[in-house]
Amino acid sequence: MNDPVLNLPELCRQIISSSSKELAPEHRLGPRLVCPEYSKSIPEVKTYPLPTDERIFALCWNIASDSTIYATMCPSPEPFRYHRSFESGTMTQLHTHDYIELAYVVEGAFHQKILGNNIVFQKGELCLVDKNCLHQDYLREEPAVILFLGMSNDMFSEIMDENITTQKIIAFLQSALMKQKDVRQYLYFTPGNTAGHEIEDYFYLLLKELHERNVGYRYICKGILLRIFRILSTEYDFSLSGEQRRTMSWIVFEEVSEYIQRNYAHITIQELADTFHFQEDYFNRLIKNNTGLTYSAYVQQIRLERAEQLLTDTQKSVEEISEIVGYHNKGYFYKIFREKYGTTPSRYRKNS
């Protein structure tokens, strides 16, 4: 596991294939990894498979074109691999978990039936499945790599309790996420316009930590999982109603607007991106949708309104006020002030 140039699909395949311990098809762990349907009426309940101090685990599936599925799970006391053949179209046994599962499509497509709904997840998409949610998987001959993360219930609660973005935003997301999850029992995440490859890099790091189990890996894994959920919260679309989306947009705008008004003299759009964890072009859209102004015009409006207040309420010179509100070029300050108020700053003060 020393090759830094592996990508996530290659890492999944290597973890599965590199183990020298091959489980027999009839091994008792086999149904835990892949369990073909054996009853259409009696769902199986999958319990959390690890000790309480192991609060995250990964199950890797590599589905080959010859209708063979290869699988492994980590962490495990000893690395292993398992495989079995299947007929294309075979379904796994209808089942639930007593823990939270997050499935990520690393490569190919993944077909599931969740609460009676047939869903096809494409590469880069995710599904968060709540405990006690009935679902089953379709096994097809098309090649695919799927990464399942199992989270203990206390771990998931801790992740939701962390401030992974600003307080107002995360409070709304937690509420919306839990409300939707309670109603539907699963959430389908698709990459938004700003989503990049960052989340896959974090899945890579998480899987590597779970497999290698070096000192401190449990703490590192929790931190990585926090980052994954931060990206899901800010760069992925999930099943919010139209009303919830409008509410979310307004909450984010209020938070961003308050931040700009506190830091208007030196604010940059890069600072906003670093603080709120959105891409830079998101702020132009957000501000335009809520004010009709571009980001630059909105910041200029705030600065000029503050300059107007200083002119009428203080005895500071025009030069001082220009510096205070963030304009170090006096000529430019005069120009934009006159465009907005129809007169120079000095005459505005005199008339006021």
Side-chain angles (χ1 to χ4, degrees), residues 190-205:
T190 57
N193 294 330
T194 61
H197 299 291
E198 187 181 13
I199 199 167
E200 185 147 312
D201 294 338
Y202 284 127
F203 276 117
Y204 177 96
L205 294 173

Side-chain angles (χ1 to χ4, degrees), residues 61-302:
W61 275 8
N62 178 24
I63 303 173
S65 57
D66 63 353
S67 296
T68 304
I69 183 168
Y70 301 85
T72 193
M73 188 168 67
C74 52
S76 63
E78 182 182 358
F80 67 87
R81 60 185 175 189
Y82 175 80
H83 78 275
R84 69 178 300 151
S85 299
F86 62 88
E87 292 185 8
S88 185
T90 296
M91 300 188 74
T92 61
Q93 178 59 28
L94 183 67
H95 65 280
T96 64
H97 311 131
D98 67 357
Y99 55 89
I100 308 296
E101 180 182 79
L102 181 66
Y104 178 68
V105 183
V106 179
E107 211 170 64
F110 180 44
H111 300 243
Q112 279 192 310
K113 189 172 188 178
I114 309 178
L115 298 176
N117 301 310
N118 286 305
I119 305 172
V120 181
F121 299 95
Q122 302 296 334
K123 174 179 169 58
E125 297 181 340
L126 304 97
C127 185
L128 182 70
V129 178
D130 196 10
K131 57 185 179 180
N132 305 320
C133 176
L134 283 169
H135 62 289
Q136 55 191 148
D137 315 310
Y138 289 89
L139 302 179
R140 298 177 180 269
E141 61 185 359
E142 294 88 355
V145 177
I146 316 298
L147 177 61
F148 302 93
L149 290 183
M151 291 166 277
S152 66
N153 297 310
D154 62 323
M155 171 61 84
F156 184 71
S157 296
E158 287 178 24
I159 294 296
M160 288 294 99
D161 286 341
E162 292 280 350
N163 292 329
I164 54 179
T165 181
T166 57
Q167 189 58 46
K168 285 184 182 177
I169 298 171
I170 194 57
F172 171 80
L173 285 171
Q174 287 174 0
S175 173
L177 191 68
M178 292 300 98
K179 181 178 179 181
Q180 290 297 102
K181 190 170 67 63
D182 288 343
V183 171
R184 300 184 60 183
Q185 291 194 292
Y186 69 95
L187 284 173
Y188 180 179
F189 291 89
T190 57
N193 294 330
T194 61
H197 299 291
E198 187 181 13
I199 199 167
E200 185 147 312
D201 294 338
Y202 284 127
F203 276 117
Y204 177 96
L205 294 173
L206 181 61
L207 181 58
K208 196 169 186 291
E209 290 289 340
L210 289 171
H211 179 66
E212 295 181 350
R213 296 197 300 164
N214 292 322
V215 174
Y217 78 95
R218 294 187 181 98
Y219 301 101
I220 295 170
C221 287
K222 180 180 176 182
I224 295 172
L225 198 58
L226 275 168
R227 294 179 182 182
I228 288 171
F229 273 93
R230 187 266 297 171
I231 295 169
L232 287 177
S233 298
T234 57
E235 298 183 27
Y236 277 67
D237 297 324
F238 58 99
S239 44
L240 291 179
S241 67
E243 180 182 352
Q244 285 175 316
R245 288 187 185 281
R246 288 189 293 273
T247 303
M248 175 63 183
S249 177
W250 179 250
I251 288 174
V252 176
F253 170 72
E254 281 191 320
E255 194 85 356
V256 169
S257 178
E258 287 175 9
Y259 188 88
I260 292 173
Q261 292 188 51
R262 289 195 306 270
N263 302 280
Y264 63 87
H266 55 76
I267 192 68
T268 65
I269 200 163
Q270 180 60 53
E271 183 181 341
L272 290 177
D274 293 341
T275 301
F276 292 93
H277 309 296
F278 292 103
Q279 298 294 323
E280 291 185 14
D281 61 354
Y282 173 80
F283 296 101
N284 261 319
R285 296 197 306 274
L286 178 73
I287 292 170
K288 185 77 171 178
N289 290 340
N290 285 280
T291 68
L293 301 173
T294 64
Y295 161 77
S296 298
Y298 184 64
V299 172
Q300 179 175 292
Q301 176 177 282
I302 291 173

Side-chain angles (χ1 to χ4, degrees), residues 1-7 204 208:
M1 297 306 301
N2 297 318
D3 189 351
V5 301
L6 290 177
N7 57 30
Y204 177 96
K208 196 169 186 291

